[in-house]
Amino acid sequence: MADDHHGPTVRIYLAVFASLMFLTALTVWVAFQDLGMFNDVVALGIACTKATIVILFFMHVKYASRLTWLLAGAGILFLLILFAFAMADYVSRGWLGMPASHYLQ
Amino acid sequence: MAITEQDVQASEDAPSVNYLNNGYGLKSWLLTKDHKRIAVLYIISISIFFALGGLFASLVRFELMTPEGDLMSSDTYNKVFSMHGIIMVFFFLVPSIPATIGNFLVPIMVGAKDLAFPRINLLSWYVYVVAGILGTIAVVGGGVDTGWTFYTPYSSTYSNSNVILAAMAAFMAGFSSILTGLNFVVTIHTMRAPGMTWFRLPLFVWSHYATSIIMLLGTPVIAITLVLLMLERGFGFGFFDPNLGGDPVLFQHLFWFYSHPAVYIMILPSMGVMSEMVAAVARKRVFGYEFVAFSSVAIAILGFLVWGHHMFVSSQSTYAGMVFSIITFLVAVPSAIKTFNWTATLYKGSIVYDTSMFYVYGYLGLFLVGGLTGLFLSSMGLDIHLHDTYFVVAHFHYIMVGGQVMGYLGGMHFWWPKITGKMFPDICGKISALLVFLGFNFTFFPQFILGYMGMPRRYHVYPEEFQILNVASSLGASLLALGYLVPGVYLTWSIFKGPKAPDNPWGAKGLEWETTSPPPTFNFEETPVVTEEAYQYGQIEEH
Amino acid sequence: MADHALHHDHPHGLAHQFEDMPQQKESAVIGMWSFLITEILFFGGFFATYLIYRSYYPEAFFEGSSHLDIPMGAFNTIVLIVSSLTMAMAVHKSHEGNKRGILVYLTLTGILGLTFLVVKYFEYSAKIEYGLVPGLAWHPHGENSPQLALFYSLYFGMTGMHALHMIIGIGLLIWVFVKAAQGTYTAEYNAPVEIFGLYWHFVDIVWIFLFPLLYLLGTQGGGH
Amino acid sequence: MQTDFPLFPDQASSFALQVDALYFGILALCVFFALLVVILVVIFAIKYQRKSDDEVPRQIAGHLGLEIFWTAIPAVLALGVFVWATVLYFHLITPPPNAMEMYVVGKQWMWKLQHPEGKKEINELHVPLGESVRLTMTSEDVLHSFYIPAFRVKKDVVPGRYTNLWFKATQVGSYHLFCAEFCGTEHSRMIGTVHVLEPQDYEAWLTGGTANEPIEVAGERLFEQYACHTCHKMDGTGRGPSLAGLFGKTVALEGGGTALVDEAYIRESILNPSAKVMAGYKPIMPTFKGQISEEGIIQLIAYIKSLKVPELTSME
Ligand code: HEA
Ligand code: HEA
Ligand code: CUA
Ligand SMILES: [Cu+2]
């Protein structure tokens, strides 16, 4: 378990911090630009980038064992399963053109 | 043999101090961090809830003896079956094997002194107890009448019963099972004894590993779902309220995201028990070890992709239904693999006719029927007719009661000598297995026919033509109740009067049989070093 | 009791069930990650609900979002990111066994956490005042009012659950702080600081998603 | 209608036979596998009974070929069942275009049904033999589920939404109608009877008893009562679009996109008009939420459906 001692240095922490701040500013700025539907995409993209940075460096996953990667990955994978399969229902309602599929009110 | 000098109680062949006599008094039990003692605490508490759930089941069967609602009012009946379901699922079946036998055996089987987090293990029991108390308050304070599925908007707006308390209780029970699962995952990963590689682990451990995956990944979603429900009901927030444009069907998605995988929490552990018992009964290595091991993991993972099969008629989109249906068919395949491998294990074995064998055979028969009837339900065209009828009720009792409860009882018999250090009379064990098997079929087989004829579930009164089959089912239930009472009696008797158990009464393989009965506090006198595969009953031939 | 079952020296902080410190530390980290998985899926239920209603009622969500206070949200984002940095530094110091360092950085982290909660308190009060709390104080009457209630239910549910995690986090922080002050943590034994750090960062990540999803989507004035 | 001790439900609709065929098909498959396993384990138990206490059988690790074999066979068979069942499902949910329309409103704890001719029933449904009937269903409160075992049809009835179900009765008689989704205290008494009548008997039944006004006439009355006609003029000169011939069309929406005008769309237009605004119009239509009952809405829908375009002029 030598990885504890090869954790990130203070310099890396500061760099990570700076990029997080930059991305926060960016996401606020972008929100006020009219990009049509891309506003959402960009906002989520930035949020994911920030989260990845935090996970990799602040949470040391970059320096951790394969098992930690696996665990973090499993959590995210099953989250996506939840999203994807639930959305699958909502998106495909109405493909058959039947009223049952329409939302009301 | 480094054992404390005090407490020496003379006995020649067994070490004097074991986990049971190492400290007496309530406090030494209630503050214990020993996984074996916590397992015993769990056994006692889940037995109480089983009796309570069984009592409600008996009330259900009494009421259904006649088509009219003569024994109780509709409201009472609705509460009775709801509490039967809630108690049986959340307070009995989910913790049944993992928190008891699993808690006792997983550390021993991997050759560890305890679980990775003994304090969290104890915490999980306390959380369970608090949940149980909340649940009991909900029952005593008027009950809950939503069914165990808590469907909105009935549960969030219309029901007049203690939904919030019951949901809170289920929420906490879920939390306790998360803690158990977390402990297992970490223990299996980091605390295996030297030489205990993944492919030397007993299949019981594999199946508990798979169970823990589901506990970790699924349970939080039911937790949040119940939180949403409580917020909606308690504060008037809207998440599923159709008046706000919310979708009641979304609740079902979230609910089944956990509750389908949860049914595998309720069967995988007993599959693990079966693998151990089949090997011991036939004195043979489990056929296709790797396939049985991986099929557990496959069930755990695929099990997350099929929840929509509970929603075929809920107005879920047809295409989503198709995806859920096809994956449901595929998730049946790993169960098939297991079944066939157990069968093949018996082939050319050395089969002993003892209690374990009776339970193994009973389990196989009932699980087969339960699992195969799942195929009827996963067929979209047929589920339209069968959904929410007694066919479904029969299906899940065959698997949950015929499968997991049978496995739980079988496992309790199999490891009883290890847990208590006492032997039970073999003939009694056989009789109880037979009683349960017969009573069970008598109770639930008629329900398949009822279901196909169209009798809806959760019905307090029903048309007259269904009566004969219902009476048959109720009669069977009394036989079944007897089948459950009998082991309670002679197992309790054996604790006080039973003969002392040898370390390995069945001549079985596994680390748990190499330590004493009952095991010492830290399981082994010395950390074992593993040099052979699981189930090395003899030299293994490769094919 | 029966400690003689262990036949080796007993390093400081090693629990009886473990063989050595690395095993114990690995277990702690894996245990924490397993717990975080459950947290991911716990919040996941909220996010799934959000996603679905957002795609059904974009206008109502834009409208709801436009009543949220972006400067406050942005300020809180920054506060949490800084607190993540100080938390990471506390863990860093704990690896060196530097007690003073741990205490200083934990204190900073705690203060930032409280700041976050105070800002949140002001935001909540404003919402209550304007009657934007579904079920409790709800005033909107417009055409979108029902779906607006969905948005605000999610807003309060999600930020409330997040705030609850912050409060628990601060409780844990105090516990770690006390232990650190007693000199429990050394260069060898520091797993509690480390896994508490994981928790804190996780809570930060949740907010990283909440901020754009709840606050920022109203900036386009409700239409594309 | 039934013997005292039936073991099988009536087969009274066009798909009963197909559903039962699927049922027996799967049953055969399951019996085969169940017997296979049971017979094998029993034979093994007899043949390989332990002879002596220290007997050690030959240890067999496994057999890759066998594993593949018994993975593939069930998988293929299961997929076969999937295809069969899914094809049947599509059949079960796709009504023929000429089906009769009937309307169902579920509420705790009764079924309110209405015929196109306006006749209303509670907990009883009369249908003509051999005609396809399509039900449009909604709920006033909680989830219910409309279930006729003899027809092998069932569908949840969801508040805030329309669901559909169709069948063609093939056998004269009376059959159970159940509520299959738990809906509270009297869930088990939310039952009724479906009467399948010869077409001429059905006609007689329809015209007999109280005089009924057809459903769209009731709808028309509501249309006037709620002053819809002040904005929705037939010739399209009102402040709102003409509704004639609208049903089944796809209309362009303000701000892009299109919408198919079906029952759900009309319901939404009445309850929440600003959700989807027709292109070229202002969102001035008031909401009628809380003013018109579910039944009223259904009548309005039937009326709007019945409106024919006066003279073919394409709508903007
Ligand atoms: C321990 C619990 C448990 C388990 C393990 C299962 C296992 C399965 N279940 Fe079950 N199920 C429940 C508990 C369980 N179920 C409960 C509680 C409900 C009702 C909930 C409620 O509404 O209250 C339910 C409801 C339910 C439904 C919804 C019905 C409805 O409400 O309309 C469906 C539909 O697909 C289904 C399918 C299956 C399938 C395909 C399996 C499969 O995993 C079974 C696999 C096993 C086998 C198939 C047997 C062995 C295989 C062979 C011998 C080889 C031959 C096989 C092939 C040819 C494929 N179940
Ligand atoms: C682990 C799960 C489990 C178990 C073990 C059981 C066990 C039994 N269940 Fe049930 N059941 C469910 C889970 C379970 N059930 C679920 C989830 C539902 C759905 C609920 C819903 O719709 O929401 C359900 C629903 C359900 C119904 C349908 C109700 C309805 O839809 O209206 C019926 C009807 O017959 C039934 C019967 C039985 C019977 C006869 C037993 C028997 O096996 C029980 C036998 C046991 C005993 C009789 C107890 C033995 C002990 C004693 C006798 C001790 C004496 C007691 C004291 C001294 C206090 N159950
Ligand atoms: Cu309506 Cu059950
Ligand atoms: Cu399921």
Side-chain angles (χ1 to χ4, degrees), chain C residues 137-212:
Chain C
W138 186 245
H139 298 321
H141 288 298
E143 294 285 359
N144 280 331
S145 145
Q147 291 92 310
L148 255 177
L150 282 183
F151 176 83
Y152 277 101
S153 299
L154 280 167
Y155 168 77
F156 281 104
M158 291 167 107
T159 56
M161 193 51 77
H162 178 262
L164 184 67
H165 277 76
M166 294 288 295
I167 294 170
I168 294 172
I170 290 173
L172 291 172
L173 187 143
I174 292 171
W175 179 72
V176 175
F177 184 89
V178 170
K179 286 277 180 187
Q182 292 166 354
T184 316
Y185 305 125
T186 63
E188 284 72 44
Y189 176 64
N190 47 40
V193 187
E194 174 140 358
I195 65 172
F196 171 68
L198 290 178
Y199 175 86
W200 193 265
H201 295 309
F202 172 79
V203 177
D204 181 20
I205 290 178
V206 173
W207 185 260
I208 285 179
F209 283 98
L210 289 183
F211 174 57

Side-chain angles (χ1 to χ4, degrees), chain B residues 387-431:
Chain B
H387 174 72
D388 269 342
T389 65
Y390 263 82
F391 195 94
V392 178
V393 174
H395 155 69
F396 68 71
H397 281 90
Y398 261 87
I399 295 206
M400 305 210 293
V401 189
Q404 176 92 342
V405 179
M406 197 85 179
Y408 171 66
L409 283 180
M412 283 304 276
H413 283 89
F414 188 61
W415 284 291
W416 189 255
K418 189 51 67 184
I419 297 174
T420 62
K422 296 297 172 62
M423 296 301 285
F424 58 86
D426 192 52
I427 180 72
C428 295
K430 287 180 185 164
I431 292 177

Side-chain angles (χ1 to χ4, degrees), chain A residues 67 70-71 74-75 78 81-82 85-86 88-90 92-96 98 100-101 103-105, chain B residues 189 217 242-243 245-247 249-250 253 257 301 304-305 307 315-320 323-324 327:
Chain A
L67 181 58
L70 191 73
L71 287 172
F78 279 80
I81 290 179
L82 170 63
F85 277 63
D89 175 16
Y90 289 86
S92 64
R93 281 181 193 179
W95 282 4
L96 287 176
M98 274 178 292
S101 44
Y103 240 101
L104 303 175
Q105 298 189 342
Chain B
H189 268 291
L217 291 168
N243 292 323
D247 183 11
V249 179
L250 176 61
H253 277 299
F257 181 86
I301 293 174
F304 276 94
L305 307 175
W307 77 78
S315 79
Q316 165 184 246
S317 107
T318 307
Y319 293 98
V323 174
F324 285 124
I327 305 178

Side-chain angles (χ1 to χ4, degrees), chain B residues 297-359:
Chain B
V297 180
I299 290 177
I301 293 174
L302 282 178
F304 276 94
L305 307 175
V306 304
W307 77 78
H309 66 208
H310 296 273
M311 301 165 59
F312 288 148
V313 302
S314 70
S315 79
Q316 165 184 246
S317 107
T318 307
Y319 293 98
M322 279 170 65
V323 174
F324 285 124
S325 171
I326 192 167
I327 305 178
T328 306
F329 278 107
L330 293 181
V331 82
V333 173
S335 299
I337 296 178
K338 279 182 196 286
T339 313
F340 295 134
N341 278 301
W342 291 328
T343 310
T345 307
L346 294 172
Y347 173 67
K348 292 202 169 166
S350 162
I351 300 173
V352 61
Y353 285 31
D354 61 1
T355 303
S356 308
M357 185 264 197
F358 276 55
Y359 271 103

Side-chain angles (χ1 to χ4, degrees), chain B residues 82-83 86-87 90-91 127 130-132 134-139 143-152 155-156 159 161-175 219 221-234 240 251 255 258, chain C residues 42:
Chain B
S82 300
M83 289 175 314
I86 293 173
I87 289 176
F90 294 108
F91 294 100
V127 173
V130 173
L134 278 181
T136 314
I137 296 176
V139 171
V144 54
D145 71 347
T146 57
W148 81 283
T149 47
F150 294 108
Y151 275 11
T152 52
S155 59
S156 56
S159 169
S161 57
N162 292 329
V163 180
I164 294 191
L165 259 182
M168 194 66 209
F171 174 90
M172 303 216 19
F175 201 61
T219 320
V221 178
I222 189 75
I224 189 68
T225 314
L226 294 172
V227 168
L228 294 180
L229 173 61
M230 289 185 267
L231 288 176
E232 179 153 343
R233 192 178 165 88
F240 311 113
F251 175 87
F255 180 85
Y258 163 76
Chain C
F42 185 75

Side-chain angles (χ1 to χ4, degrees), chain B residues 148 256 263-264 266-267 309-310 328 332 335-336 339-340 367-368 371-372 374-375 377-378 383 387 392 395-396 399-400 457, chain D residues 33 74:
Chain B
W148 81 283
W256 291 114
V263 308
Y264 295 119
M266 305 178 217
I267 197 70
H309 66 208
H310 296 273
T328 306
S335 299
T339 313
F340 295 134
F367 172 72
L368 261 178
L372 290 169
L375 301 178
L377 299 172
S378 33
D383 187 62
H387 174 72
V392 178
H395 155 69
F396 68 71
I399 295 206
M400 305 210 293
R457 59 193 282 209
Chain D
F33 276 103

